[in-house]
């Protein structure tokens, strides 16, 4: 039996229906609470349980956002961020309402709990919250236009998935037009199920593509180690977790314990990836760029590539 508690919300499940009923009676006898029956909604996430798997989405919340920000009649678009121009603001653009802009960003960030497809676009737009301009607002509205076309897109978790942990790591070198900092992207997969994802601007400027990929790998491995510890609670040992990289040079740096002159300037905290590799906690695997799932979290993609990747990470539209 598994019980998940978040503040005053509880979900529980078991392979034995009798145990679930006993737990429900125990909790309702001790606390003032009501049992809602089979899980359909939790913390804003809508859940559809089927025989062959579970579908999680935030369709209701997405539609409410479109109505809240007067975007329910907008023209849909196929991707959340344009590939032909940067999102960063132009100094000549007029400033826009900061409160409105931050409200839109905050609402979208909550939506990323089930929408990795808008994670990168939302994080890029969030970088301009201090002084948003018209070009920034146009970029945010494009995300809403994308949601208009696919409000009920969510993540599919098949029931017959294997319990095999793996990670995908990627970076976009010098993607920030103002600071020239790179973006780290990572996603962690359990069997065929996407369980966590990250998209974050790196803290320091990388001087090469290899350095950016190496730092992104460190971030992804940190998440994989956390997931390994979580799986231990379920009696699952996930050593030699595969890490998928599309940079051969980054793989060589991780495998080679010698401190190259080209890596001496990299912050020492990132070098723990070598230690993880030597201890057998992870294993390195090269993957072609076209098969790098983390690409969707690091850069703007064309429509065909974008749709292919979000399909491969398990995103479906069930309605």
């Amino acid at each position: 039996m598994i019980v998940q508690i978040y503040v005053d919300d509880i979900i529980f499940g078991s392979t034995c229906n009798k145990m679930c009923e006993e737990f429900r009676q125990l909790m309702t006898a001790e606390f003032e609470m009501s049992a809602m029956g089979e899980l359909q909604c939790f913390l804003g996430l809508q859940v559809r349980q089927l025989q062959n798997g579970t579908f999680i989405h935030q369709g209701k919340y997405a539609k409410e956002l479109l109505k809240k920000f007067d975007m329910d009649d907008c023209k849909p678009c196929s991707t959340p961020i344009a590939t032909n121009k940067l999102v960063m603001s132009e100094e000549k653009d007029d400033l826009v309402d900061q409160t409105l802009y931050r409200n839109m960003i905050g609402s979208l960030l909550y939506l990323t709990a089930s929408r990795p497809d808008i994670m990168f676009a939302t994080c890029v737009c969030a970088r301009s919250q201090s002084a948003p301009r018209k070009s920034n607002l146009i970029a945010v509205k494009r995300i809403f236009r994308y949601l208009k076309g696919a409000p009920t897109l969510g993540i599919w978790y098949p029931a017959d998935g294997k319990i095999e942990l793996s990670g995908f790591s990627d970076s976009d070198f010098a993607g920030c037009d103002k600071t020239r900092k790179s973006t780290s992207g990572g996603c962690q997969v359990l069997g065929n199920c996407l369980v966590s994802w990250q998209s974050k601007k790196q803290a320091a400027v990388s001087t090469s593509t290899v350095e950016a990929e190496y730092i992104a790998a460190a971030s992804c491995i940190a998440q994989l180690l956390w997931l390994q510890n979580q799986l231990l609670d379920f009696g699952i040992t996930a050593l030699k977790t595969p890490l998928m990289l599309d940079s051969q040079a980054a793989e060589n740096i991780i495998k080679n314990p010698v401190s190259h002159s080209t890596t001496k300037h990299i912050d020492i905290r990132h070098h723990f990836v070598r230690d993880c590799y030597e201890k057998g906690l992870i294993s390195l695997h090269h993957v072609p760029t076209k098969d790098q799932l983390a690409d969707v979290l690091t850069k703007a993609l064309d429509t065909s590539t974008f749709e292919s990747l979000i399909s491969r990470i398990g995103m479906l539209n069930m309605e």
Side-chain angles (χ1 to χ4, degrees):
M1 183 173 187
I2 297 175
V3 180
Q4 174 71 53
I5 303 175
Y6 185 85
V7 191
D8 60 349
D9 290 311
I10 302 175
I11 55 175
F12 57 92
S14 173
T15 53
C16 177
N17 290 333
K18 184 179 179 181
M19 288 183 65
C20 286
E21 181 59 26
E22 290 178 353
F23 181 78
R24 184 192 67 80
Q25 293 177 1
L26 176 65
M27 294 299 289
T28 52
E30 291 289 333
F31 305 99
E32 291 186 11
M33 59 182 294
S34 57
M36 306 302 293
E38 184 176 311
L39 178 64
Q40 294 182 340
C41 184
F42 186 69
L43 303 179
L45 296 172
Q46 294 172 251
V47 182
R48 287 183 60 185
Q49 299 184 72
L50 305 174
Q51 284 287 87
N52 58 340
T54 302
F55 181 63
I56 297 178
H57 67 103
Q58 290 173 280
K60 181 180 178 182
Y61 179 71
K63 293 175 181 177
E64 289 175 352
L65 288 186
L66 291 169
K67 186 176 181 180
K68 176 181 178 181
F69 296 109
D70 297 324
M71 297 290 293
D72 47 348
D73 292 327
C74 65
K75 182 180 179 181
C77 60
S78 57
T79 59
I81 186 171
T83 58
N84 59 346
K85 61 181 178 179
L86 297 175
V87 179
M88 306 311 292
S89 61
E90 299 289 344
E91 295 299 328
K92 61 182 179 180
D93 286 349
D94 295 331
L95 291 169
V96 297
D97 185 356
Q98 188 181 80
T99 302
L100 172 64
Y101 188 85
R102 289 182 173 182
N103 198 352
M104 297 174 81
I105 292 296
S107 300
L108 289 171
L109 285 173
Y110 185 74
L111 190 59
T112 59
S114 66
R115 297 293 297 261
D117 53 329
I118 66 169
M119 186 78 173
F120 172 69
T122 303
C123 290
V124 170
C125 292
R127 299 170 187 173
S128 304
Q129 292 185 80
S130 59
R133 297 183 179 272
K134 187 176 179 181
S135 56
N136 302 131
L137 185 59
I138 292 174
V140 173
K141 286 185 176 182
R142 181 186 173 92
I143 302 176
F144 282 93
R145 289 174 54 206
Y146 169 71
L147 293 176
K148 173 65 177 179
T152 57
L153 198 67
I155 306 177
W156 172 250
Y157 294 96
D160 58 350
K162 296 181 180 179
I163 309 299
E164 295 178 355
L165 182 64
S166 62
F168 291 80
S169 172
D170 193 33
S171 73
D172 180 25
F173 177 59
C176 181
D177 189 45
K178 283 188 175 181
T179 63
R180 306 310 297 172
K181 292 180 180 179
S182 305
T183 298
S184 294
C187 57
Q188 292 72 41
V189 180
L190 195 61
N192 297 322
C193 306
L194 183 67
V195 292
S196 66
W197 52 91
Q198 309 82 38
S199 179
K200 185 178 181 181
K201 185 168 67 172
Q202 295 179 1
V205 177
S206 298
T207 58
S208 65
T209 304
V210 178
E211 181 181 346
E213 294 276 0
Y214 187 70
I215 294 173
S219 177
C220 183
I221 290 173
Q223 185 69 10
L224 286 174
L225 295 181
W226 180 81
L227 287 170
Q228 286 180 355
N229 288 329
Q230 294 294 306
L231 290 174
L232 287 175
D233 293 338
F234 299 95
I236 301 172
T237 302
L239 296 178
K240 291 189 177 294
T241 300
L243 176 64
M244 312 298 181
L245 300 171
D246 58 6
S247 171
Q248 194 73 51
E251 291 182 45
N252 293 335
I253 292 177
I254 297 173
K255 291 178 180 178
N256 193 340
V258 178
S259 179
H260 300 285
S261 59
T262 56
T263 63
K264 287 181 179 179
H265 63 286
I266 301 178
D267 195 328
I268 194 170
R269 66 191 174 94
H270 299 300
H271 289 305
F272 88 100
V273 297
R274 292 179 182 170
D275 189 47
C276 293
Y277 174 76
E278 291 172 358
K279 289 180 178 179
L281 299 176
I282 62 165
S283 60
L284 301 179
H285 299 265
H286 184 77
V287 62
T289 301
K290 64 181 179 67
D291 296 326
Q292 178 55 268
L293 303 186
D295 255 6
V296 75
L297 298 162
T298 60
K299 56 182 70 72
L301 303 170
D302 60 83
T303 302
S304 59
T305 304
F306 179 78
E307 291 179 348
S308 173
L309 286 178
I310 64 172
S311 174
R312 292 182 60 183
I313 62 178
M315 297 200 70
L316 300 174
N317 198 338
M318 298 288 284
E319 295 184 8

